[in-house]
Amino acid sequence: MKDKKIILGITGSIAAYKGAILIRALVRKGAEVQVVMTPSAKEFITPLTLSTLSRKPVISEFFSSRDGSWHSHVELGTWADAMLVAPATAATIGKMANGIADNMLVTTYLSCKAPVFVAPAMDLDMYAHPSTQKNIERLRRCGNRIIEPTEGELASLLHGKGRMEEPDKIVEALEDFFTVQNTLRKKKVLLTAGPTYEKIDPVRFIGNYSSGKMGFALAEACAQKGAEVHLVAGPVALKAVHPRICRTDVESADEMYAAATAAFAGADIAILCAAVADYRPETQRTDKVKRETDAQFTLSLTRNRDIAASLGAMKRTDQLLVGFALETGDGVREAKEKLARKNLDLIVLNSLEDGGAGFRYDTNKVTLIDRKGEMTPLPLQSKAEVAEKIVTGIITLINER
């Protein structure tokens, strides 16, 4: 944290007093802290307290009431190595998620080029409300890191989830980020995501339920760690946000195979997260199959080429290959066999028997298995959080080499 420049955004929450503890902890770690607070935050903690601890004048308004000078949110956004909004109320989270730039904190957030951490703090029903959860998920998809609140006694005297994470844990999250943030710098990552569609005729296809959410979360996580990401995406309705992500759209398994094998030679790491169809129709009809004229219709399938096995056979000793396994039976055994058979360095095991995990969900529950057979089970959490853990596992493998 030494010499890191941190914007600390403080909003109108009873947890605003923890801002003082955060400042002291960050300054002791060697960080330079600039506080930006909303007008309502002043009702909970004074700017004098915060400026004394940070050794910098607190910014709250666009203009100084004394001399009319302007506080530039653009300069702040380019100055920082990270922005931390703690506590983040439901109102501020909603404004951040929807671009409502009516105060200095939100305009600074919208101008910030550095990673942003958000630590929500609110009553349990506000936190659990679908509107709040939708806004938090939107922030995640924009690349923000959410520091989940904890369960405990709240200002309402109710007990539940909504209590801002303790300052020492928040500082630890920032330290972890700065420790690993550049370990993928200058690395080239090939990443496949989403389903493939195998045409039957001009209007029908064989496909699967993959939404691409896990693959896109991994692409964002790799890019945020400094990697140049070549994302080969099947037909999905998702957008890649980070500027270091170069996207190639494909539809069929053959198209994905061609794109992946062509890009693999120039990659340091390949992460094969796509749910590629194992089979395709042996012939594709150029005309639509008609129910009225085709009383019986037989579909003959042929096997698609195995992208993971092909890349495993091509892999150089300086490359890292990560695969995924989605199983319904003895998943660990199947995943270990797949890892060895396809010459993978790491495999991510999904089980369809775990609730809230797998296709279409915003959450996932996986187990990481490496070539030594060591397993790292992860709890059910958002796919963005799972992506962070997978990338951390990849970084560990790189460092071990």
Side-chain angles (χ1 to χ4, degrees):
M1 295 291 292
K2 183 172 174 55
D3 298 326
K4 296 299 182 185
K5 297 177 175 65
I6 310 296
I7 297 171
L8 175 59
I10 299 178
T11 69
S13 163
I14 192 65
Y17 77 91
K18 294 183 180 180
I21 304 171
L22 273 169
I23 294 169
R24 173 160 284 179
L26 290 168
V27 169
R28 282 178 172 171
K29 296 283 186 180
E32 187 178 348
V33 181
Q34 175 62 66
V35 176
V36 180
M37 64 193 308
T38 62
S40 62
K42 297 177 185 178
E43 302 294 329
F44 296 90
I45 189 167
T46 67
L48 177 60
T49 299
L50 302 174
S51 64
T52 300
L53 293 171
S54 66
R55 302 165 197 161
K56 284 179 175 291
V58 169
I59 297 174
S60 180
E61 308 296 339
F62 292 106
F63 302 95
S64 171
S65 59
R66 294 182 178 179
D67 58 10
S69 59
W70 176 48
H71 294 129
S72 174
H73 54 88
V74 176
E75 289 182 7
L76 270 176
T78 56
W79 169 82
D81 294 303
M83 182 175 183
L84 167 65
V85 184
T89 60
T92 293
I93 288 171
K95 289 178 180 181
M96 291 169 66
N98 293 281
I100 302 174
D102 65 348
N103 62 46
M104 190 65 186
L105 191 155
V106 179
T107 54
T108 301
Y109 160 71
L110 293 174
S111 300
C112 191
K113 296 184 180 300
V116 178
F117 296 77
V118 181
M122 63 198 75
D123 205 63
L124 74 164
D125 292 320
M126 293 179 70
Y127 179 73
H129 196 280
S131 295
T132 305
Q133 290 301 309
K134 181 180 179 180
N135 287 331
I136 289 174
E137 184 56 34
R138 178 174 286 185
L139 288 180
R140 275 201 184 97
R141 290 180 181 176
C142 289
N144 300 283
R145 292 163 170 79
I146 308 300
I147 301 175
E148 291 284 341
T150 62
E151 291 193 15
E153 186 175 337
L154 306 170
S156 63
L157 301 183
L158 296 174
H159 190 282
K161 188 171 184 178
R163 183 184 178 93
M164 189 181 96
E165 181 61 275
E166 293 304 315
D168 61 329
K169 297 291 187 183
I170 293 174
V171 173
E172 185 179 310
L174 285 171
E175 283 187 302
D176 288 346
F177 168 77
F178 284 119
T179 299
V180 302
Q181 68 163 334
N182 289 323
T183 50
L184 291 184
R185 190 168 62 90
K186 296 185 179 179
K187 297 291 186 185
K188 297 187 183 299
V189 176
L190 166 65
L191 201 150
T192 65
T196 64
Y197 289 174
E198 312 302 323
K199 284 185 178 178
I200 298 172
D201 64 15
V203 298
R204 299 179 180 89
F205 62 86
I206 298 171
N208 57 59
Y209 295 117
S210 174
S211 64
K213 291 177 180 178
M214 190 70 251
F216 274 65
L218 277 164
E220 297 292 340
C222 288
Q224 287 164 4
K225 295 291 189 295
E228 297 292 335
V229 181
H230 182 177
L231 174 62
V232 180
V236 296
L238 301 175
K239 291 183 178 180
V241 176
H242 202 286
R244 279 196 292 269
I245 299 174
C246 175
R247 176 174 175 173
T248 298
D249 289 309
V250 299
E251 182 174 87
S252 68
D254 268 350
E255 291 172 351
M256 186 169 284
Y257 179 92
T261 52
F264 184 58
D268 300 295
I269 303 162
I271 306 173
L272 307 180
C273 189
V276 184
D278 293 320
Y279 297 90
R280 69 180 185 278
E282 194 167 30
T283 58
Q284 294 179 6
R285 294 273 294 260
T286 56
D287 59 325
K288 180 183 174 183
V289 176
K290 297 285 189 180
R291 184 174 61 178
E292 292 79 10
T293 57
D294 294 294
Q296 290 187 334
F297 177 65
T298 301
L299 189 63
S300 179
L301 302 178
T302 186
R303 185 177 295 176
N304 281 320
R305 289 174 290 185
D306 189 323
I307 297 174
S310 297
L311 298 190
M314 297 165 57
K315 188 180 70 170
R316 303 186 305 266
T317 56
D318 63 330
Q319 290 178 303
L320 200 68
L321 186 58
V322 180
F324 275 67
L326 180 62
E327 304 295 343
T328 55
D330 187 350
V332 172
R333 180 179 61 81
E334 295 286 346
K336 286 183 175 180
E337 288 181 359
K338 182 176 181 179
L339 182 142
R341 186 172 67 253
K342 301 190 179 185
N343 195 24
L344 306 176
D345 297 286
L346 182 72
I347 194 162
V348 182
L349 171 62
N350 272 117
S351 174
L352 286 175
E353 296 172 0
D354 291 323
F359 291 153
R360 292 183 174 177
Y361 291 104
D362 292 324
T363 53
N364 210 355
K365 182 180 180 182
V366 305
T367 299
L368 310 186
I369 306 174
D370 64 19
R371 291 179 72 90
K372 295 179 289 187
E374 293 183 3
M375 297 193 298
T376 305
L378 301 178
L380 185 70
Q381 54 196 317
S382 73
K383 286 184 174 176
E385 291 171 307
V386 172
E388 288 284 340
K389 299 295 193 308
I390 293 171
V391 173
T392 298
I394 292 170
I395 291 168
T396 299
L397 291 179
I398 292 172
N399 292 337
E400 287 176 353
R401 287 185 171 185

